[in-house]
Amino acid sequence: MDMNDPQDVAAAFWAQMLGFTISEEPPPPDTPLGRVRAFVAEHGQDALRDEHIRAAIEGRPLLP
């Protein structure tokens, strides 16, 4: 994040106002985003479907 870039500053401000934190660290592997990223790393971005996102949010396995 470049704090000299007005868009990055605005994104950080609004994220903080909404109670979020912008991080440049990878997400923990047990979170929905971490599970989706692991799926994409293994199967490729073209294999990712809406069902996979729903499954990750619901805690179900991500099947190819």
Side-chain angles (χ1 to χ4, degrees):
M1 177 171 293
D2 179 6
M3 294 313 277
N4 292 320
D5 180 355
Q7 285 186 320
D8 284 354
V9 171
F13 172 76
W14 286 110
Q16 188 176 29
M17 292 298 295
L18 294 171
F20 295 96
T21 302
I22 297 176
S23 174
E24 294 183 20
E25 302 283 324
D30 60 339
T31 63
L33 181 56
R35 294 177 60 223
V36 168
R37 287 182 58 152
F39 177 86
V40 169
E42 183 176 342
H43 301 287
Q45 185 173 350
D46 292 337
L48 186 64
R49 305 276 181 257
D50 291 342
E51 314 72 77
H52 296 114
I53 304 299
R54 278 193 293 279
I57 292 170
E58 294 171 1
R60 295 185 286 120
L62 304 182
L63 304 174

